[in-house]
């Protein structure tokens, strides 16, 4: 183990978590990745160290990113307490869903298996002069959109197109692709708001409100309060008949019985379903807070139902390809070029359909976009190069190599985010500096 890792045994930097008490609270996973960056160590060795110190044994194929450390199960508890102990930053369980563990069943929080993110949030983090971070809300499967920017969360890199690029790697700098090293919020200022269904928005807002509530109430969600609220709701809406409530919500009678009379608690998804049908917000339902609640009328409920109840058939609309071709021609004339993906989005068709049906024009559009990118990247590089060179010189003088990690730690994110193909650029800068050094040694 390296010297750095050994010194970590005693203490870790006391980083401030981002967005505490808001719907944009940082996830524990993000906090952990930033800690690794801050100590110039890999997520792999930091994770091993935590696991060795706080769990009895570490399996041979130990893989930190397969554990849902921001969830509400055992690993979330172990990791949040371990990191609180090692950083002396209290309450890191607020960066997980643990505050709800009394009212959401153990396996009842569907977490995304691949890290999803909003590219605009990353870009905005940089514009605001701080490092990008992962939001806790992104870890829940119920969250499919960014409420702030009205874009769909994605899991792939907009530059190299590879999947699962947010954090599943031994070295992670939050906000940069783990496969190609490109900034994941690149060109985010050119993204446009997407049309998002009211159901998706409603669901995302509930998760957001849940996180605000956990910042405010901490660990106060109790199973008894929640079950009492449920009994009260069944009383008001279905005359106290669980079988009617089961039919209304599509929940199995035996499942409902298990919650009401044994020890069970619903999954988050089931609670979302109940909240939607009963006209109550998710945090209020889980906290058992019925102070302002009134049983909704039938027509009010329909407006709240989440998407799986409204299964809208994707409309098989007839596409007018001549019209689409004309639109593409117009896009070719735009002063600022747009990508094929963006064109597809604006026309509400799939990019591959464009390639299939309007191949020539689509390819022109793609080529124009590539030229534009190459041009603007070159310009960005010219801005960033002096920063990289002076940092490289400093590090070389200290006998260190210039790495992405150093760059993340020491160059303002808004400068770094504009550098294309960062790996290559760093290698070139370094090679040039070493040559420079050799020259000056020869001369002296
Ligand atoms: Zn966003
Ligand atoms: Zn990439």
């Amino acid at each position: 183990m390296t010297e750095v890792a050994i010194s970590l045994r005693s203490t870790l930097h006391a980083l401030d978590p981002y967005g505490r008490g808001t719907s944009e609270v940082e996830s524990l996973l993000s906090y952990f990745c930033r800690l690794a960056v801050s100590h110039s160590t890999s997520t792999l060795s930091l994770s091993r160290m935590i696991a060795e110190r706080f769990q009895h044994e570490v399996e041979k194929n130990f893989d930190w990113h397969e554990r849902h450390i921001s969830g509400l199960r055992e690993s979330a508890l172990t990791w949040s307490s371990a990191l609180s102990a090692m950083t002396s930053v209290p309450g890191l369980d607020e960066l997980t869903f643990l505050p709800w563990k009394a009212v959401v069943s153990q396996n009842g929080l569907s977490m995304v298996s691949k890290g999803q993110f909003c590219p605009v949030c990353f870009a905005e983090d940089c514009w605001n002069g701080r490092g990008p971070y992962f939001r806790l809300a992104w870890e829940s499967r119920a969250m499919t959109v960014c409420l702030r920017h009205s874009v769909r969360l994605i899991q792939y890199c907009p530059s190299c197109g590879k999947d699962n690029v947010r954090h599943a790697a031994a070295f992670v700098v939050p906000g940069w692709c783990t496969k190609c090293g490109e900034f994941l919020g690149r060109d985010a200022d050119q993204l446009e708001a997407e049309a998002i269904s009211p159901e998706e928005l409603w669901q995302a807002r509930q998760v957001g409100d849940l996180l605000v509530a956990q910042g405010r109430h901490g660990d106060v969600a109790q199973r008894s309060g929640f079950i009492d609220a449920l009994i009260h709701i069944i009383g008001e809406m279905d005359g106290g008949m669980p079988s009617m409530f089961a039919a209304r919500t599509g929940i199995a009678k035996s499942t409902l019985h298990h919650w009401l009379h044994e020890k069970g608690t619903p999954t988050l998804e089931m609670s979302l379903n109940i909240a939607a049908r009963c006209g109550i917000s998710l945090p209020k339902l889980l906290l058992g807070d019925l102070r302002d609640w009134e049983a909704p009328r039938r027509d009010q409920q329909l407006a709240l139902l989440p998407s799986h109840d409204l299964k809208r058939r994707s409309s098989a609309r007839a596409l007018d390809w001549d019209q689409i071709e004309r639109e593409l021609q117009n896009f070719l004339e735009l002063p600022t070029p747009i990508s094929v993906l963006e064109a597809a989005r604006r026309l509400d068709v799939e990019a591959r359909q464009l390639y299939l049906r309007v191949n020539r024009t689509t390819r022109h559009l793609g080529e124009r976009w590539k030229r534009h990118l190459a041009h603007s990247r070159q310009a960005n590089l010219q801005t960033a190069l002096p920063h990289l060179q002076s940092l490289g010189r400093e590090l070389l003088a200290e006998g260190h190599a210039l790495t992405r990690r150093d760059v993340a730690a020491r160059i303002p994110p808004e400068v770094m985010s504009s550098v294309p193909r960062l790996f290559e650029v760093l290698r070139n800068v370094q090679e040039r500096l070493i040559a420079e050094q050799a020259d000056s040694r020869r001369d002296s």
Side-chain angles (χ1 to χ4, degrees):
M1 199 175 275
T2 64
E3 236 171 89
V4 176
I6 289 166
S7 71
L8 292 182
R9 282 181 187 283
S10 50
T11 180
L12 293 173
H13 297 159
L15 300 183
D16 265 337
Y18 288 127
R20 256 193 164 168
T22 72
S23 59
E24 300 197 33
V25 58
E26 180 170 25
S27 69
L28 190 70
L29 185 140
S30 169
Y31 188 79
F32 161 76
C33 292
R34 287 201 298 121
L35 267 178
V37 172
S38 166
H39 285 275
S40 298
T41 188
S42 70
T43 45
L44 190 67
S45 57
L46 184 57
S47 70
R48 285 193 160 273
M49 205 184 65
I50 295 169
E52 278 164 9
R53 184 159 157 185
F54 290 91
Q55 289 171 335
H56 294 300
E57 54 188 61
V58 180
E59 301 128 50
K60 208 158 145 224
N61 301 323
F62 176 75
D63 207 349
W64 69 271
H65 44 81
E66 282 177 2
R67 323 198 151 199
H68 293 303
I69 63 171
S70 310
L72 47 68
R73 299 180 64 180
E74 194 58 32
S75 52
L77 196 57
T78 312
W79 283 60
S80 58
S81 51
L83 289 172
S84 266
M86 295 163 88
T87 56
S88 314
V89 175
L92 288 180
D93 57 339
E94 270 176 45
L95 313 191
T96 72
F97 285 94
L98 279 169
W100 304 99
K101 69 176 187 304
V103 289
V104 177
S105 66
Q106 271 280 298
N107 297 316
L109 175 69
S110 294
M111 304 281 280
V112 288
S113 55
K114 297 171 182 172
Q116 54 176 5
F117 57 91
C118 163
V120 197
C121 279
F122 282 157
E124 206 171 77
D125 287 338
C126 289
W127 299 329
N128 291 335
R130 67 169 167 225
Y133 70 97
F134 313 145
R135 276 69 174 164
L136 177 56
W138 298 345
E139 300 310 310
S140 162
R141 261 189 215 280
M143 200 78 177
T144 53
V145 296
C146 172
L147 283 172
R148 191 181 172 82
H149 299 112
S150 289
V151 296
R152 204 150 261 120
L153 301 179
I154 56 172
Q155 306 178 329
Y156 63 88
C157 167
S159 305
C160 70
K162 294 208 172 102
D163 206 17
N164 202 14
V165 293
R166 198 191 68 178
H167 69 272
F171 286 92
V172 182
V173 179
W176 276 263
C177 173
T178 55
K179 301 266 165 58
C180 74
E182 190 61 84
F183 181 48
L184 292 172
R186 211 193 67 195
D187 303 330
D189 51 343
Q190 293 170 33
L191 281 176
E192 278 169 28
E194 290 177 55
I196 289 168
S197 72
E199 297 83 20
E200 268 178 298
L201 275 179
W202 179 82
Q203 197 155 302
R205 201 164 293 128
Q206 299 310 305
V207 177
D209 289 348
L210 199 67
L211 299 182
V212 175
Q214 85 180 42
R216 210 176 289 152
H217 302 283
D219 208 2
V220 298
Q222 295 303 329
R223 186 175 179 283
S224 56
F226 169 56
I227 297 298
D228 287 349
L230 204 53
I231 291 171
H232 183 81
I233 290 173
I234 296 172
E236 291 290 308
M237 291 181 75
D238 291 309
M241 311 261 284
S243 56
M244 279 176 72
F245 188 76
R248 166 196 297 283
T249 49
I251 294 163
K253 272 189 272 182
S254 56
T255 308
L256 191 58
H257 186 275
H258 182 52
W259 303 341
L260 297 178
H261 303 292
E262 291 160 37
K263 285 189 172 158
T265 37
T267 62
L268 192 74
E269 206 182 11
M270 284 171 165
S271 287
L272 272 167
N273 177 17
I274 295 174
R277 287 167 194 272
C278 302
I280 185 170
S281 77
L282 181 66
K284 287 198 166 180
L285 174 67
L286 294 181
L287 288 165
D289 177 1
L290 296 182
R291 271 172 300 178
D292 315 318
W293 181 77
E294 262 176 54
R297 298 192 312 272
R298 175 87 190 130
D299 54 335
Q300 288 172 322
Q301 287 169 55
L302 280 175
L304 289 166
L305 294 184
S307 55
H308 46 89
D309 295 301
L310 293 177
K311 289 210 173 69
R312 291 165 307 147
R313 247 160 266 116
S314 58
S315 55
R317 90 194 139 97
L319 295 170
D320 179 348
W321 288 106
D322 290 335
Q323 175 60 26
I324 287 178
E325 166 124 42
R326 279 192 295 276
E327 298 277 0
L328 286 180
Q329 294 287 0
N330 289 340
F331 291 157
L332 274 172
E333 305 296 322
L334 289 174
T336 310
I338 62 169
S339 66
V340 174
L341 273 182
E342 171 59 22
R345 212 155 55 76
R346 290 190 194 180
L347 297 171
D348 196 18
V349 293
E350 286 182 50
R352 57 182 181 184
Q353 281 181 302
L354 289 180
Y355 278 112
L356 282 174
R357 301 295 190 90
V358 211
N359 185 278
R360 246 173 82 91
T361 320
T362 305
R363 276 190 295 117
H364 282 162
L365 198 69
E367 281 152 17
R368 184 167 184 250
W369 173 246
K370 268 191 210 156
R371 278 195 304 275
H372 166 71
L373 276 188
H375 190 264
S376 58
R377 283 176 190 177
Q378 207 47 43
N380 290 338
L381 182 58
Q382 293 315 320
T383 321
L385 258 184
H387 291 268
L388 290 174
Q389 281 163 340
S390 73
L391 175 60
R393 257 185 220 109
E394 250 173 65
L395 288 170
L396 271 185
E398 296 165 14
H400 297 300
L402 179 61
T403 65
R404 194 150 54 94
R405 203 155 292 277
D406 296 307
V407 172
R410 295 167 64 172
I411 291 191
E414 64 273 21
V415 174
M416 188 183 163
S417 65
S418 62
V419 180
R421 295 203 181 81
L422 194 58
F423 286 141
E424 255 170 70
V425 172
L426 293 184
R427 208 174 43 233
N428 287 343
V429 168
Q430 178 134 321
E431 278 166 9
R432 219 172 305 154
L433 290 175
I434 291 174
E436 227 175 64
Q437 235 182 11
D439 281 348
S440 66
R441 235 179 265 135
R442 233 197 341 268
D443 292 345
S444 59

